[in-house]
Amino acid sequence: MKKITCVLAAAFLTGTGALMAQGEMDAYKLSQKDMNGTARFMGMGGAFGALGGDVSVMSTNPAGLGVFRSSEIVTSVSLNMMNASSDFNGTNATGSKTRFNLDNFSYVGYFPTGNDEGIIGWNFGFGYHRAKSFDRTYRVSGRQSFSLADYAAAISYGINENDLIWIDGGYDPYNNRNLGWMSVLGYEAGYFGTNPGSSNNYHSGFGEWNNSGSKYKQDGDTEWLYYEPSNSTLTVSEKGGIDQYNFSFATNISNLVFLGATFAVTDMNYRMYSTYDETFGGSDNLYLDNSLATDGTGYAFNIGAIVRPADFLRLGVAYNSPTWYKLTDYYYAEAGTYIDGYYDNSGKHVPQYDAKTPEYNYSEYRFRTPDRWIFSAAGIIGQDALISVDYELSNFSNTRLYDADGYEWVDETDYIKQDFKSTHTLRVGAEYKVTPQFAVRAGGSWQSSSATSALQNGEYEIFTSGTVPHYTVDRGVSSYSVGFGYRFTRSFYADLAYVYREHRENAYLFSATAVDDNIKDINGNTVVVGSNPASLKDKAHRVALTLGYKF
């Protein structure tokens, strides 16, 4: 089990903001990129590392700009229809969202030198590119063994109850560097209370003392028997994206070697809204509403090369650097319980509790994504056909989180190294010209999960950020595409593509955790509190249109 004391120590060293800033699961999510670009690029599965001749290569292998023999202006739009389905302990739920996006707008300038050998030409490019879309809505609903209240009580073990009590005009637990906000909010919302005779050992507010069935602890009662929720429902809505602005140049050396480089400025915009509800027998229930906004900017660079050892063969290699981000999180949460049989220490019936975090809170931090290597090959078959393959390697254990001053969060680094590994992506694409004006295309892309099997299976505790207990673990992405293009004149053309994408994940309502003897079953054995994973499938249907003009 990962130890809560490590997180408390890190929080003490880095300040209150560390308790709310992103954790390892959020870092992984913000490191992802989509297969996105022009309709031709997507129609061929994104396999353009050795082909070039498409503005999308500025974000992968910029050496491909050196293939251009004219200047060009390109823009792409797409319609995205997303559907997420979950299976949670045999109960199915769905969520959907439809969006219209401007995917890219790019310009490439071609400047020939007039030479037949050596440097034949220079190419410069500027482009806007939607590198990642976060848009989706998913829902998980069903019955499980433990409550979020059990989880909040378990992670609060060892915290003195007095440290959780807000004093009007005096002490504010949200300003205590040693406390996690989930413990503070859960206590204020009535999720849990102390065991008799203890000031730092807690039990869920939903349950009863063994054997007695009484509202009060009786002599001989030593165990709190927790209630299982009759239903738990999580609804998450995400939106926003990563916008990338590329500044690229490339050169053509004797039509044999093409070299290129890109400097990229990225703009991060992420929004998450979630609602979580649990119902128990009778009218007992709890809720938790979270909102999180992440904004910031970053920068990166790409370099690459393409060689043409024969007229029918092109080989490519590219290095995409990490993206270095400076980010700010804004967050707010509300929580509450209704426990019909709850009485306070004076015997007063007090069933309703509501609480909320302070408003307008934010934390600043720095973030480095992993780098990527792309190795490519393309075969040119006569004048009418081509096939291309890309292999991409990225080690997500190299992801890093830092505080606002650039000091690394050592514990998060250790968790990332333990929980993540290299991911492998294979992209394949083909094109055939039916006529000189009309071409058809097809492609596919397969990306493995970078999460270890232990992480996917929820075998140990995962520390999430702030008051957001839920998280998802990637299990792989695959996509399939078809498309066609038509040249209306020597200058003007249009491309259309359809992409089907399926992303598989495990969704956890909250992490597994076990803290000393905090929770016992009826036989007195320590219980590992946790939520079973829901199998989550994101299915996206996308239609993209690109218009281009050569001059």
Side-chain angles (χ1 to χ4, degrees), residues 135-168:
D135 294 335
R136 71 167 176 175
T137 295
Y138 67 88
R139 183 171 174 266
V140 176
S141 183
R143 185 162 188 164
Q144 60 179 345
S145 298
F146 294 101
S147 165
L148 180 63
D150 298 317
Y151 169 77
I155 65 173
S156 302
Y157 174 81
I159 299 174
N160 190 286
E161 183 180 22
N162 291 330
D163 291 336
L164 297 171
I165 299 174
W166 186 81
I167 300 175
D168 191 12

PDB file of all heavy atoms in Angstrom, residues 135-168:
ATOM      1  N   ASP A 135     -13.220  16.799 -24.771  1.00  0.00           N
ATOM      2  CA  ASP A 135     -14.683  16.778 -24.745  1.00  0.00           C
ATOM      3  C   ASP A 135     -15.228  15.360 -24.608  1.00  0.00           C
ATOM      4  O   ASP A 135     -15.002  14.501 -25.464  1.00  0.00           O
ATOM      5  CB  ASP A 135     -15.249  17.397 -26.032  1.00  0.00           C
ATOM      6  CG  ASP A 135     -14.939  18.874 -26.145  1.00  0.00           C
ATOM      7  OD1 ASP A 135     -14.736  19.505 -25.090  1.00  0.00           O
ATOM      8  OD2 ASP A 135     -14.905  19.394 -27.271  1.00  0.00           O
ATOM      9  N   ARG A 136     -15.958  15.117 -23.550  1.00  0.00           N
ATOM     10  CA  ARG A 136     -16.683  13.867 -23.374  1.00  0.00           C
ATOM     11  C   ARG A 136     -17.550  13.960 -22.119  1.00  0.00           C
ATOM     12  O   ARG A 136     -17.302  14.781 -21.221  1.00  0.00           O
ATOM     13  CB  ARG A 136     -15.760  12.660 -23.261  1.00  0.00           C
ATOM     14  CG  ARG A 136     -14.964  12.570 -21.978  1.00  0.00           C
ATOM     15  CD  ARG A 136     -14.330  11.203 -21.834  1.00  0.00           C
ATOM     16  NE  ARG A 136     -13.478  11.106 -20.651  1.00  0.00           N
ATOM     17  CZ  ARG A 136     -12.893   9.988 -20.248  1.00  0.00           C
ATOM     18  NH1 ARG A 136     -13.048   8.871 -20.958  1.00  0.00           N
ATOM     19  NH2 ARG A 136     -12.133   9.965 -19.168  1.00  0.00           N
ATOM     20  N   THR A 137     -18.548  13.110 -22.063  1.00  0.00           N
ATOM     21  CA  THR A 137     -19.378  12.946 -20.875  1.00  0.00           C
ATOM     22  C   THR A 137     -19.532  11.449 -20.631  1.00  0.00           C
ATOM     23  O   THR A 137     -19.830  10.698 -21.557  1.00  0.00           O
ATOM     24  CB  THR A 137     -20.773  13.581 -21.066  1.00  0.00           C
ATOM     25  OG1 THR A 137     -20.622  14.993 -21.211  1.00  0.00           O
ATOM     26  CG2 THR A 137     -21.663  13.304 -19.856  1.00  0.00           C
ATOM     27  N   TYR A 138     -19.294  11.017 -19.403  1.00  0.00           N
ATOM     28  CA  TYR A 138     -19.507   9.602 -19.088  1.00  0.00           C
ATOM     29  C   TYR A 138     -20.226   9.469 -17.750  1.00  0.00           C
ATOM     30  O   TYR A 138     -20.196  10.370 -16.906  1.00  0.00           O
ATOM     31  CB  TYR A 138     -18.206   8.809 -19.117  1.00  0.00           C
ATOM     32  CG  TYR A 138     -17.195   9.127 -18.047  1.00  0.00           C
ATOM     33  CD1 TYR A 138     -17.218   8.478 -16.804  1.00  0.00           C
ATOM     34  CD2 TYR A 138     -16.177  10.056 -18.278  1.00  0.00           C
ATOM     35  CE1 TYR A 138     -16.275   8.749 -15.832  1.00  0.00           C
ATOM     36  CE2 TYR A 138     -15.236  10.333 -17.313  1.00  0.00           C
ATOM     37  CZ  TYR A 138     -15.280   9.684 -16.093  1.00  0.00           C
ATOM     38  OH  TYR A 138     -14.350   9.952 -15.135  1.00  0.00           O
ATOM     39  N   ARG A 139     -20.862   8.322 -17.594  1.00  0.00           N
ATOM     40  CA  ARG A 139     -21.671   8.071 -16.397  1.00  0.00           C
ATOM     41  C   ARG A 139     -21.434   6.644 -15.927  1.00  0.00           C
ATOM     42  O   ARG A 139     -21.405   5.707 -16.731  1.00  0.00           O
ATOM     43  CB  ARG A 139     -23.150   8.288 -16.725  1.00  0.00           C
ATOM     44  CG  ARG A 139     -24.107   8.137 -15.549  1.00  0.00           C
ATOM     45  CD  ARG A 139     -25.500   8.601 -15.971  1.00  0.00           C
ATOM     46  NE  ARG A 139     -26.492   8.360 -14.944  1.00  0.00           N
ATOM     47  CZ  ARG A 139     -27.262   7.270 -14.890  1.00  0.00           C
ATOM     48  NH1 ARG A 139     -27.154   6.327 -15.838  1.00  0.00           N
ATOM     49  NH2 ARG A 139     -28.130   7.113 -13.924  1.00  0.00           N
ATOM     50  N   VAL A 140     -21.234   6.488 -14.622  1.00  0.00           N
ATOM     51  CA  VAL A 140     -21.063   5.180 -14.003  1.00  0.00           C
ATOM     52  C   VAL A 140     -22.114   5.050 -12.909  1.00  0.00           C
ATOM     53  O   VAL A 140     -22.232   5.923 -12.049  1.00  0.00           O
ATOM     54  CB  VAL A 140     -19.650   5.031 -13.394  1.00  0.00           C
ATOM     55  CG1 VAL A 140     -19.523   3.701 -12.659  1.00  0.00           C
ATOM     56  CG2 VAL A 140     -18.585   5.142 -14.475  1.00  0.00           C
ATOM     57  N   SER A 141     -22.882   3.963 -12.952  1.00  0.00           N
ATOM     58  CA  SER A 141     -23.950   3.796 -11.972  1.00  0.00           C
ATOM     59  C   SER A 141     -24.116   2.319 -11.642  1.00  0.00           C
ATOM     60  O   SER A 141     -24.053   1.465 -12.530  1.00  0.00           O
ATOM     61  CB  SER A 141     -25.273   4.364 -12.510  1.00  0.00           C
ATOM     62  OG  SER A 141     -26.293   4.277 -11.546  1.00  0.00           O
ATOM     63  N   GLY A 142     -24.310   2.021 -10.351  1.00  0.00           N
ATOM     64  CA  GLY A 142     -24.511   0.637  -9.941  1.00  0.00           C
ATOM     65  C   GLY A 142     -24.327   0.484  -8.449  1.00  0.00           C
ATOM     66  O   GLY A 142     -24.197   1.463  -7.697  1.00  0.00           O
ATOM     67  N   ARG A 143     -24.273  -0.754  -8.020  1.00  0.00           N
ATOM     68  CA  ARG A 143     -24.145  -1.069  -6.601  1.00  0.00           C
ATOM     69  C   ARG A 143     -22.727  -1.523  -6.308  1.00  0.00           C
ATOM     70  O   ARG A 143     -22.127  -2.247  -7.104  1.00  0.00           O
ATOM     71  CB  ARG A 143     -25.145  -2.148  -6.205  1.00  0.00           C
ATOM     72  CG  ARG A 143     -25.166  -2.440  -4.709  1.00  0.00           C
ATOM     73  CD  ARG A 143     -26.416  -3.157  -4.287  1.00  0.00           C
ATOM     74  NE  ARG A 143     -26.515  -3.261  -2.829  1.00  0.00           N
ATOM     75  CZ  ARG A 143     -27.636  -3.564  -2.203  1.00  0.00           C
ATOM     76  NH1 ARG A 143     -28.748  -3.797  -2.899  1.00  0.00           N
ATOM     77  NH2 ARG A 143     -27.664  -3.638  -0.880  1.00  0.00           N
ATOM     78  N   GLN A 144     -22.201  -1.098  -5.144  1.00  0.00           N
ATOM     79  CA  GLN A 144     -20.865  -1.497  -4.740  1.00  0.00           C
ATOM     80  C   GLN A 144     -20.844  -1.740  -3.234  1.00  0.00           C
ATOM     81  O   GLN A 144     -21.784  -1.390  -2.515  1.00  0.00           O
ATOM     82  CB  GLN A 144     -19.843  -0.433  -5.117  1.00  0.00           C
ATOM     83  CG  GLN A 144     -20.089   0.915  -4.479  1.00  0.00           C
ATOM     84  CD  GLN A 144     -19.031   1.943  -4.873  1.00  0.00           C
ATOM     85  OE1 GLN A 144     -17.968   1.598  -5.397  1.00  0.00           O
ATOM     86  NE2 GLN A 144     -19.306   3.198  -4.628  1.00  0.00           N
ATOM     87  N   SER A 145     -19.756  -2.316  -2.747  1.00  0.00           N
ATOM     88  CA  SER A 145     -19.681  -2.738  -1.350  1.00  0.00           C
ATOM     89  C   SER A 145     -19.414  -1.588  -0.389  1.00  0.00           C
ATOM     90  O   SER A 145     -19.846  -1.628   0.768  1.00  0.00           O
ATOM     91  CB  SER A 145     -18.584  -3.799  -1.183  1.00  0.00           C
ATOM     92  OG  SER A 145     -18.881  -4.952  -1.938  1.00  0.00           O
ATOM     93  N   PHE A 146     -18.693  -0.566  -0.841  1.00  0.00           N
ATOM     94  CA  PHE A 146     -18.288   0.503   0.057  1.00  0.00           C
ATOM     95  C   PHE A 146     -18.806   1.848  -0.405  1.00  0.00           C
ATOM     96  O   PHE A 146     -19.074   2.073  -1.583  1.00  0.00           O
ATOM     97  CB  PHE A 146     -16.760   0.549   0.187  1.00  0.00           C
ATOM     98  CG  PHE A 146     -16.189  -0.651   0.859  1.00  0.00           C
ATOM     99  CD1 PHE A 146     -15.615  -1.667   0.112  1.00  0.00           C
ATOM    100  CD2 PHE A 146     -16.229  -0.781   2.237  1.00  0.00           C
ATOM    101  CE1 PHE A 146     -15.086  -2.782   0.721  1.00  0.00           C
ATOM    102  CE2 PHE A 146     -15.707  -1.901   2.857  1.00  0.00           C
ATOM    103  CZ  PHE A 146     -15.141  -2.902   2.105  1.00  0.00           C
ATOM    104  N   SER A 147     -18.886   2.754   0.554  1.00  0.00           N
ATOM    105  CA  SER A 147     -19.351   4.107   0.311  1.00  0.00           C
ATOM    106  C   SER A 147     -18.168   5.066   0.223  1.00  0.00           C
ATOM    107  O   SER A 147     -17.085   4.793   0.770  1.00  0.00           O
ATOM    108  CB  SER A 147     -20.283   4.546   1.443  1.00  0.00           C
ATOM    109  OG  SER A 147     -20.482   5.942   1.444  1.00  0.00           O
ATOM    110  N   LEU A 148     -18.390   6.192  -0.444  1.00  0.00           N
ATOM    111  CA  LEU A 148     -17.399   7.262  -0.421  1.00  0.00           C
ATOM    112  C   LEU A 148     -17.136   7.704   1.018  1.00  0.00           C
ATOM    113  O   LEU A 148     -16.027   8.138   1.351  1.00  0.00           O
ATOM    114  CB  LEU A 148     -17.891   8.442  -1.257  1.00  0.00           C
ATOM    115  CG  LEU A 148     -16.976   9.663  -1.341  1.00  0.00           C
ATOM    116  CD1 LEU A 148     -15.657   9.306  -2.005  1.00  0.00           C
ATOM    117  CD2 LEU A 148     -17.666  10.803  -2.094  1.00  0.00           C
ATOM    118  N   ALA A 149     -18.142   7.575   1.894  1.00  0.00           N
ATOM    119  CA  ALA A 149     -17.963   7.924   3.307  1.00  0.00           C
ATOM    120  C   ALA A 149     -16.947   6.985   3.974  1.00  0.00           C
ATOM    121  O   ALA A 149     -16.142   7.424   4.812  1.00  0.00           O
ATOM    122  CB  ALA A 149     -19.301   7.854   4.030  1.00  0.00           C
ATOM    123  N   ASP A 150     -16.950   5.701   3.624  1.00  0.00           N
ATOM    124  CA  ASP A 150     -15.950   4.772   4.147  1.00  0.00           C
ATOM    125  C   ASP A 150     -14.549   5.191   3.712  1.00  0.00           C
ATOM    126  O   ASP A 150     -13.597   5.142   4.488  1.00  0.00           O
ATOM    127  CB  ASP A 150     -16.236   3.350   3.657  1.00  0.00           C
ATOM    128  CG  ASP A 150     -17.582   2.823   4.124  1.00  0.00           C
ATOM    129  OD1 ASP A 150     -17.918   3.035   5.298  1.00  0.00           O
ATOM    130  OD2 ASP A 150     -18.286   2.208   3.303  1.00  0.00           O
ATOM    131  N   TYR A 151     -14.439   5.583   2.448  1.00  0.00           N
ATOM    132  CA  TYR A 151     -13.149   6.008   1.898  1.00  0.00           C
ATOM    133  C   TYR A 151     -12.660   7.266   2.611  1.00  0.00           C
ATOM    134  O   TYR A 151     -11.483   7.355   3.016  1.00  0.00           O
ATOM    135  CB  TYR A 151     -13.299   6.260   0.403  1.00  0.00           C
ATOM    136  CG  TYR A 151     -12.125   6.943  -0.240  1.00  0.00           C
ATOM    137  CD1 TYR A 151     -10.955   6.249  -0.527  1.00  0.00           C
ATOM    138  CD2 TYR A 151     -12.181   8.302  -0.561  1.00  0.00           C
ATOM    139  CE1 TYR A 151      -9.875   6.881  -1.119  1.00  0.00           C
ATOM    140  CE2 TYR A 151     -11.110   8.939  -1.150  1.00  0.00           C
ATOM    141  CZ  TYR A 151      -9.961   8.226  -1.432  1.00  0.00           C
ATOM    142  OH  TYR A 151      -8.892   8.866  -2.010  1.00  0.00           O
ATOM    143  N   ALA A 152     -13.540   8.256   2.796  1.00  0.00           N
ATOM    144  CA  ALA A 152     -13.139   9.499   3.455  1.00  0.00           C
ATOM    145  C   ALA A 152     -12.716   9.242   4.895  1.00  0.00           C
ATOM    146  O   ALA A 152     -11.760   9.851   5.395  1.00  0.00           O
ATOM    147  CB  ALA A 152     -14.290  10.508   3.402  1.00  0.00           C
ATOM    148  N   ALA A 153     -13.423   8.334   5.580  1.00  0.00           N
ATOM    149  CA  ALA A 153     -13.041   7.993   6.956  1.00  0.00           C
ATOM    150  C   ALA A 153     -11.689   7.303   6.987  1.00  0.00           C
ATOM    151  O   ALA A 153     -10.850   7.581   7.854  1.00  0.00           O
ATOM    152  CB  ALA A 153     -14.115   7.088   7.577  1.00  0.00           C
ATOM    153  N   ALA A 154     -11.429   6.404   6.035  1.00  0.00           N
ATOM    154  CA  ALA A 154     -10.177   5.649   6.011  1.00  0.00           C
ATOM    155  C   ALA A 154      -8.973   6.546   5.773  1.00  0.00           C
ATOM    156  O   ALA A 154      -7.943   6.416   6.442  1.00  0.00           O
ATOM    157  CB  ALA A 154     -10.245   4.557   4.957  1.00  0.00           C
ATOM    158  N   ILE A 155      -9.073   7.473   4.808  1.00  0.00           N
ATOM    159  CA  ILE A 155      -7.914   8.323   4.500  1.00  0.00           C
ATOM    160  C   ILE A 155      -7.686   9.386   5.568  1.00  0.00           C
ATOM    161  O   ILE A 155      -6.647  10.046   5.572  1.00  0.00           O
ATOM    162  CB  ILE A 155      -8.061   8.997   3.116  1.00  0.00           C
ATOM    163  CG1 ILE A 155      -9.239   9.978   3.096  1.00  0.00           C
ATOM    164  CG2 ILE A 155      -8.171   7.962   2.013  1.00  0.00           C
ATOM    165  CD1 ILE A 155      -9.318  10.795   1.818  1.00  0.00           C
ATOM    166  N   SER A 156      -8.654   9.557   6.483  1.00  0.00           N
ATOM    167  CA  SER A 156      -8.524  10.562   7.539  1.00  0.00           C
ATOM    168  C   SER A 156      -7.947   9.981   8.822  1.00  0.00           C
ATOM    169  O   SER A 156      -7.790  10.711   9.813  1.00  0.00           O
ATOM    170  CB  SER A 156      -9.886  11.211   7.827  1.00  0.00           C
ATOM    171  OG  SER A 156     -10.415  11.808   6.654  1.00  0.00           O
ATOM    172  N   TYR A 157      -7.675   8.679   8.826  1.00  0.00           N
ATOM    173  CA  TYR A 157      -7.109   8.041  10.012  1.00  0.00           C
ATOM    174  C   TYR A 157      -5.829   8.761  10.437  1.00  0.00           C
ATOM    175  O   TYR A 157      -4.961   9.058   9.628  1.00  0.00           O
ATOM    176  CB  TYR A 157      -6.810   6.566   9.737  1.00  0.00           C
ATOM    177  CG  TYR A 157      -6.100   5.883  10.879  1.00  0.00           C
ATOM    178  CD1 TYR A 157      -6.819   5.420  11.971  1.00  0.00           C
ATOM    179  CD2 TYR A 157      -4.718   5.744  10.871  1.00  0.00           C
ATOM    180  CE1 TYR A 157      -6.166   4.803  13.039  1.00  0.00           C
ATOM    181  CE2 TYR A 157      -4.051   5.137  11.926  1.00  0.00           C
ATOM    182  CZ  TYR A 157      -4.787   4.668  13.001  1.00  0.00           C
ATOM    183  OH  TYR A 157      -4.150   4.073  14.054  1.00  0.00           O
ATOM    184  N   GLY A 158      -5.717   9.032  11.739  1.00  0.00           N
ATOM    185  CA  GLY A 158      -4.527   9.681  12.274  1.00  0.00           C
ATOM    186  C   GLY A 158      -4.641  11.184  12.383  1.00  0.00           C
ATOM    187  O   GLY A 158      -3.808  11.822  13.025  1.00  0.00           O
ATOM    188  N   ILE A 159      -5.643  11.804  11.759  1.00  0.00           N
ATOM    189  CA  ILE A 159      -5.854  13.244  11.860  1.00  0.00           C
ATOM    190  C   ILE A 159      -6.676  13.535  13.118  1.00  0.00           C
ATOM    191  O   ILE A 159      -7.738  12.941  13.320  1.00  0.00           O
ATOM    192  CB  ILE A 159      -6.587  13.789  10.621  1.00  0.00           C
ATOM    193  CG1 ILE A 159      -5.755  13.549   9.356  1.00  0.00           C
ATOM    194  CG2 ILE A 159      -6.884  15.275  10.777  1.00  0.00           C
ATOM    195  CD1 ILE A 159      -6.473  13.923   8.077  1.00  0.00           C
ATOM    196  N   ASN A 160      -6.208  14.422  13.960  1.00  0.00           N
ATOM    197  CA  ASN A 160      -6.948  14.772  15.165  1.00  0.00           C
ATOM    198  C   ASN A 160      -8.244  15.485  14.797  1.00  0.00           C
ATOM    199  O   ASN A 160      -8.256  16.381  13.947  1.00  0.00           O
ATOM    200  CB  ASN A 160      -6.103  15.663  16.069  1.00  0.00           C
ATOM    201  CG  ASN A 160      -6.726  15.847  17.440  1.00  0.00           C
ATOM    202  OD1 ASN A 160      -7.720  16.570  17.600  1.00  0.00           O
ATOM    203  ND2 ASN A 160      -6.135  15.197  18.436  1.00  0.00           N
ATOM    204  N   GLU A 161      -9.336  15.081  15.438  1.00  0.00           N
ATOM    205  CA  GLU A 161     -10.642  15.649  15.099  1.00  0.00           C
ATOM    206  C   GLU A 161     -10.665  17.165  15.262  1.00  0.00           C
ATOM    207  O   GLU A 161     -11.305  17.875  14.466  1.00  0.00           O
ATOM    208  CB  GLU A 161     -11.730  15.018  15.970  1.00  0.00           C
ATOM    209  CG  GLU A 161     -13.133  15.509  15.638  1.00  0.00           C
ATOM    210  CD  GLU A 161     -14.183  14.872  16.523  1.00  0.00           C
ATOM    211  OE1 GLU A 161     -13.831  14.396  17.626  1.00  0.00           O
ATOM    212  OE2 GLU A 161     -15.366  14.872  16.110  1.00  0.00           O
ATOM    213  N   ASN A 162      -9.964  17.688  16.246  1.00  0.00           N
ATOM    214  CA  ASN A 162      -9.957  19.132  16.449  1.00  0.00           C
ATOM    215  C   ASN A 162      -9.372  19.878  15.259  1.00  0.00           C
ATOM    216  O   ASN A 162      -9.725  21.037  15.002  1.00  0.00           O
ATOM    217  CB  ASN A 162      -9.169  19.478  17.719  1.00  0.00           C
ATOM    218  CG  ASN A 162      -9.884  19.031  18.977  1.00  0.00           C
ATOM    219  OD1 ASN A 162     -11.116  18.986  19.019  1.00  0.00           O
ATOM    220  ND2 ASN A 162      -9.110  18.685  20.010  1.00  0.00           N
ATOM    221  N   ASP A 163      -8.474  19.215  14.527  1.00  0.00           N
ATOM    222  CA  ASP A 163      -7.881  19.856  13.348  1.00  0.00           C
ATOM    223  C   ASP A 163      -8.863  19.967  12.190  1.00  0.00           C
ATOM    224  O   ASP A 163      -8.612  20.710  11.228  1.00  0.00           O
ATOM    225  CB  ASP A 163      -6.651  19.075  12.883  1.00  0.00           C
ATOM    226  CG  ASP A 163      -5.493  19.184  13.865  1.00  0.00           C
ATOM    227  OD1 ASP A 163      -5.461  20.172  14.625  1.00  0.00           O
ATOM    228  OD2 ASP A 163      -4.647  18.267  13.886  1.00  0.00           O
ATOM    229  N   LEU A 164      -9.964  19.215  12.268  1.00  0.00           N
ATOM    230  CA  LEU A 164     -10.957  19.236  11.190  1.00  0.00           C
ATOM    231  C   LEU A 164     -12.122  20.183  11.473  1.00  0.00           C
ATOM    232  O   LEU A 164     -12.974  20.393  10.600  1.00  0.00           O
ATOM    233  CB  LEU A 164     -11.518  17.826  10.972  1.00  0.00           C
ATOM    234  CG  LEU A 164     -10.510  16.765  10.508  1.00  0.00           C
ATOM    235  CD1 LEU A 164     -11.162  15.384  10.543  1.00  0.00           C
ATOM    236  CD2 LEU A 164      -9.999  17.074   9.115  1.00  0.00           C
ATOM    237  N   ILE A 165     -12.149  20.763  12.663  1.00  0.00           N
ATOM    238  CA  ILE A 165     -13.296  21.587  13.072  1.00  0.00           C
ATOM    239  C   ILE A 165     -13.015  23.053  12.787  1.00  0.00           C
ATOM    240  O   ILE A 165     -12.042  23.638  13.278  1.00  0.00           O
ATOM    241  CB  ILE A 165     -13.597  21.389  14.567  1.00  0.00           C
ATOM    242  CG1 ILE A 165     -13.952  19.928  14.843  1.00  0.00           C
ATOM    243  CG2 ILE A 165     -14.746  22.298  15.010  1.00  0.00           C
ATOM    244  CD1 ILE A 165     -14.133  19.607  16.311  1.00  0.00           C
ATOM    245  N   TRP A 166     -13.854  23.640  11.984  1.00  0.00           N
ATOM    246  CA  TRP A 166     -13.735  25.059  11.642  1.00  0.00           C
ATOM    247  C   TRP A 166     -14.262  25.909  12.779  1.00  0.00           C
ATOM    248  O   TRP A 166     -15.329  25.629  13.351  1.00  0.00           O
ATOM    249  CB  TRP A 166     -14.517  25.336  10.362  1.00  0.00           C
ATOM    250  CG  TRP A 166     -14.368  26.724   9.831  1.00  0.00           C
ATOM    251  CD1 TRP A 166     -13.349  27.208   9.081  1.00  0.00           C
ATOM    252  CD2 TRP A 166     -15.290  27.804  10.004  1.00  0.00           C
ATOM    253  NE1 TRP A 166     -13.564  28.527   8.760  1.00  0.00           N
ATOM    254  CE2 TRP A 166     -14.761  28.915   9.318  1.00  0.00           C
ATOM    255  CE3 TRP A 166     -16.510  27.944  10.672  1.00  0.00           C
ATOM    256  CZ2 TRP A 166     -15.392  30.143   9.274  1.00  0.00           C
ATOM    257  CZ3 TRP A 166     -17.151  29.166  10.637  1.00  0.00           C
ATOM    258  CH2 TRP A 166     -16.593  30.260   9.951  1.00  0.00           C
ATOM    259  N   ILE A 167     -13.539  26.973  13.153  1.00  0.00           N
ATOM    260  CA  ILE A 167     -13.934  27.880  14.228  1.00  0.00           C
ATOM    261  C   ILE A 167     -14.214  29.246  13.630  1.00  0.00           C
ATOM    262  O   ILE A 167     -13.331  29.844  13.002  1.00  0.00           O
ATOM    263  CB  ILE A 167     -12.834  27.981  15.303  1.00  0.00           C
ATOM    264  CG1 ILE A 167     -12.560  26.600  15.901  1.00  0.00           C
ATOM    265  CG2 ILE A 167     -13.245  28.973  16.400  1.00  0.00           C
ATOM    266  CD1 ILE A 167     -11.406  26.592  16.885  1.00  0.00           C
ATOM    267  N   ASP A 168     -15.424  29.716  13.813  1.00  0.00           N
ATOM    268  CA  ASP A 168     -15.842  31.002  13.247  1.00  0.00           C
ATOM    269  C   ASP A 168     -14.940  32.119  13.749  1.00  0.00           C
ATOM    270  O   ASP A 168     -14.798  32.334  14.955  1.00  0.00           O
ATOM    271  CB  ASP A 168     -17.300  31.283  13.639  1.00  0.00           C
ATOM    272  CG  ASP A 168     -17.869  32.469  12.874  1.00  0.00           C
ATOM    273  OD1 ASP A 168     -17.224  32.902  11.900  1.00  0.00           O
ATOM    274  OD2 ASP A 168     -18.952  32.965  13.255  1.00  0.00           O
TER     275      ASP A 168
END
